[in-house]
Amino acid sequence: MEIIRKGQRQDQGPVLELKEYCNEDGSTLPVLQFPVLEETGIVRHFFTTRLGGVSEGEFRSMNLSFTRGDDPAKVHRNYQRVAAALGTDEAHLVLTYQVHHTNVRRVTMADAGKGTIRERDWNDLDGLVTNERGLALGTFFADCVPLMFVDPRHQAIGACHSGWRGTVKRIGRVTLRKMREEFDTDPADVICAIGPSICQDCYEVSADVAEEFIRAFPGREDSILIDEHNGHYLLDLWEACRITLLEEGVPEGNILMTDICTCENPELLFSHRACKGAPHGNIGGFLMLR
Ligand SMILES: [Zn+2]
């Protein structure tokens, strides 16, 4: 399958690689991965695609939602495939419950399996941090921005969901500060990934959304908004997230920026905008300390 990549990054080669894991039945599980994160040697991570699962119909095929009417047995099999590719099992995944707020929680092995094999005891959690090996953090997207954080010095990780509401409230900063509080993480050490999500060309927003960004990022509006002069703006969530990470002290060279837009790759990825209101699944972002 041909992947559409954003042109301005072609000089650097692909930032995200398509990698294929082998499923238990011999089929393949295609995922997107930042090679730089894997090269740290301390984590396993990837973003799932629509492909490589067992769900059917509108959920075809790598659906990770139990709440949209898919057969739960198929969703479990999808999670088992994801977990196997990470080198673990379904009981060692822990999932967010995303509501576009900025709550970030430290999770431990006591939370393993929450969201997959047992109930979550949270209902408003857009970010997770941990320093436990073998506990895989799971977050979900269909145009919203996945952020991942790896602190090699303290062997700690974080993952969060940054939609426009989370981005304007700087959930990237909240996650970094939670890692500092819990693990003494210094942003200067952290490698951050801004994962596959909607690009500025595809993300038209209303004036009231643009106004929130102008208020939240004073002096930076020209970097993140293009006025279309028709009451709408094009919003660059990737750059707004990058600015937030830089403000907190993450070195520019430590920020990995997606070169793949969800909306421009609807055959490969789930995109809310590309589906135009039709039912769709989510991409999962998974990150685990080895
Ligand atoms: Zn796009």
Side-chain angles (χ1 to χ4, degrees):
M1 176 180 298
E2 193 198 351
I3 301 177
I4 312 290
R5 292 181 188 267
K6 300 311 291 181
Q8 68 269 25
R9 304 243 140 212
Q10 275 172 3
D11 56 320
Q12 303 167 351
V15 181
L16 274 166
E17 271 182 5
L18 187 71
K19 180 158 179 175
E20 293 190 336
Y21 288 91
C22 192
N23 288 324
E24 76 293 343
D25 66 352
S27 64
T28 58
L29 174 65
V31 298
L32 293 169
Q33 204 169 63
F34 287 103
V36 173
L37 276 193
E38 292 296 298
E39 285 159 15
T40 62
I42 65 166
V43 293
R44 293 209 170 101
H45 87 291
F46 54 70
F47 305 92
T48 60
T49 68
R50 305 177 69 137
L51 312 173
V54 299
S55 296
E56 292 166 7
E58 67 202 41
F59 305 111
R60 198 154 55 94
S61 65
M62 183 41 82
N63 173 49
L64 296 171
S65 172
F66 287 105
T67 59
R68 292 181 182 174
D70 197 1
D71 174 359
K74 292 199 168 80
V75 182
H76 280 297
R77 258 188 87 195
N78 289 340
Y79 273 110
Q80 286 155 10
R81 288 183 170 189
V82 165
L86 289 165
T88 184
D89 55 51
E90 198 184 4
H92 288 88
L93 304 178
V94 55
L95 310 183
T96 47
Y97 191 112
Q98 297 169 190
V99 292
H100 295 275
H101 291 170
T102 55
N103 293 329
V104 178
R105 176 169 169 149
R106 178 179 182 170
V107 287
T108 68
M109 274 303 168
D111 301 302
K114 286 183 183 173
T116 54
I117 61 161
R118 58 198 178 109
E119 289 287 307
R120 283 165 281 201
D121 52 356
W122 49 75
N123 57 16
D124 59 343
L125 203 55
D126 281 67
L128 301 164
V129 301
T130 192
N131 65 350
E132 297 221 20
R133 290 169 202 284
L135 183 65
L137 311 181
T139 47
F140 304 92
F141 314 89
D143 287 343
C144 291
V145 183
L147 298 178
M148 289 184 179
F149 305 82
V150 177
D151 173 0
R153 186 142 72 99
H154 298 93
Q155 304 264 310
I157 57 174
C160 68
H161 160 251
S162 193
W164 78 258
R165 290 182 186 83
T167 303
V168 85
K169 288 184 276 197
R170 288 181 167 76
I171 192 171
R173 175 172 75 189
V174 175
T175 308
L176 279 165
R177 290 184 181 180
K178 185 70 174 169
M179 289 176 70
R180 184 191 283 276
E181 180 189 320
E182 298 286 348
F183 313 121
D184 206 23
T185 292
D186 179 348
D189 297 324
V190 177
I191 302 167
C192 294
I194 299 172
S197 44
I198 196 163
C199 80
Q200 184 173 28
D201 298 335
C202 298
Y203 196 38
E204 186 176 73
V205 298
S206 58
D208 54 320
V209 172
E211 276 299 323
E212 292 208 37
F213 277 83
I214 292 166
R215 273 199 298 276
F217 293 88
R220 304 306 297 267
E221 51 267 37
D222 291 345
S223 308
I224 57 180
L225 288 164
I226 296 170
D227 188 347
E228 297 187 289
H229 300 290
N230 60 1
H232 292 85
Y233 293 77
L234 296 174
L235 172 59
D236 191 344
L237 290 175
W238 299 354
E239 184 61 15
C241 287
R242 199 179 76 95
I243 288 169
T244 298
L245 300 174
L246 291 170
E247 284 171 350
E248 282 301 290
V250 178
E252 190 161 16
N254 284 15
I255 301 175
L256 310 170
M257 177 86 92
T258 177
D259 55 356
I260 296 178
C261 166
T262 43
C263 195
E264 290 170 58
N265 292 278
E267 302 293 313
L268 178 69
L269 301 169
F270 289 113
S271 164
H272 184 70
R273 288 276 171 122
C275 286
K276 296 185 169 67
H280 59 81
N282 289 328
I283 308 164
F286 295 90
L287 175 65
M288 182 183 82
L289 277 171
R290 297 164 64 153

